[in-house]
Amino acid sequence: EPEVTQTPSHQVTQMGQEVILRCVPISNHLYFYWYRQILGQKVEFLVSFYNNEISEKSEIFDDQFSVERPDGSNFTLKIRSTKLEDSAMYFCASIGLTDTQYFGPGTRLTVL
Amino acid sequence: RKEVEQDPGPFNVPEGATVAFNCTYSNSASQSFFWYRQDCRKEPKLLMSVYSSGNEDGRFTAQLNRASQYISLLIRDSKLSDSATYLCAVTPSGNTGKLIFGQGTTLQVKP
């Protein structure tokens, strides 16, 4: 069964450093998403991406965040200058022709 | 009022019990409704979509009440393996497909 993959599974970084989280959505899917989940809190929407551009973003997705689909398979989330409060699980998701979102296993980001 | 609200629990039930979770949503124009299951530190996995007519998948039954803006999930004959956090998710109006999640309801099934 096709699945969304994410790398790395765990990223540790120093405050102020840039990180890039990578996702490979399911190959024929059209809509891509990033969500985050701070430990003990709910899953929160960050951004949606369709047709090579952002279709919607949340208040969390400020100028420190950016997304890119650099080739036909990867979908990346960049945090330019990480803060302590960026520590969370980051989930990538994608949708095909149905409205079912499939989530990747997540990247746990720890900012020290 | 939160966009999507759930009782966090935990719900502690014995094996074989029937347990029900409710979820309320604030946006009456919400379009799609889902129940996801999340195991500790893992990704959400779709349990079932929720339709106005109600739907059933084995031991799981989901209902949607648009008038009262709530969604329910019923689990019959609980198994130890049902222990997890159950997330209610809603797609608001608009067509970007983003999901708004509740904070989840934790279920512990005990032998």
Side-chain angles (χ1 to χ4, degrees), chain A residues 31 33 35 37 39 42-43 45 48 55-56 89 91 95 99-101 103-105 108, chain B residues 4 32 34 36 38 41-44 46 49 87 95-103:
Chain A
Y31 294 81
Y33 306 85
Y35 295 83
Q37 186 175 32
L39 187 63
K42 66 178 183 177
V43 178
F45 167 76
S48 59
S55 49
E56 187 173 357
M89 283 289 287
F91 295 109
I95 286 183
D99 61 359
T100 301
Q101 278 192 41
F103 283 76
R108 179 148 54 107
Chain B
V4 179
S32 302
F34 306 91
Y36 278 80
Q38 187 176 33
R41 291 184 175 257
K42 301 282 192 181
E43 74 273 27
L46 181 68
S49 303
L87 310 179
N95 60 2
T96 66
K98 75 176 184 188
L99 290 171
I100 304 297
F101 284 90
Q103 69 266 44

Side-chain angles (χ1 to χ4, degrees), chain B:
Chain B
R1 183 180 172 186
K2 291 179 184 175
E3 287 187 88
V4 179
E5 202 150 3
Q6 296 180 250
D7 179 350
F11 284 60
N12 295 302
V13 302
E15 266 187 295
T18 295
V19 62
F21 307 136
N22 286 330
C23 165
T24 58
Y25 59 95
S26 60
N27 184 348
S28 60
S30 296
Q31 295 181 323
S32 302
F33 309 88
F34 306 91
W35 283 103
Y36 278 80
R37 172 193 168 127
Q38 187 176 33
D39 293 289
C40 189
R41 291 184 175 257
K42 301 282 192 181
E43 74 273 27
K45 290 194 173 171
L46 181 68
L47 185 64
M48 54 202 306
S49 303
V50 189
Y51 305 113
S52 296
S53 54
N55 46 304
E56 188 173 310
D57 183 2
R59 297 181 294 109
F60 299 85
T61 301
Q63 296 274 355
L64 166 63
N65 185 320
R66 282 193 182 270
S68 302
Q69 293 178 214
Y70 80 80
I71 308 148
S72 65
L73 177 68
L74 183 78
I75 306 175
R76 288 182 299 279
D77 189 22
S78 301
K79 313 285 184 201
L80 295 176
S81 56
D82 293 334
S83 297
T85 298
Y86 290 83
L87 310 179
C88 171
V90 171
T91 299
S93 57
N95 60 2
T96 66
K98 75 176 184 188
L99 290 171
I100 304 297
F101 284 90
Q103 69 266 44
T105 298
T106 300
L107 172 65
Q108 274 287 346
V109 181
K110 301 204 182 287

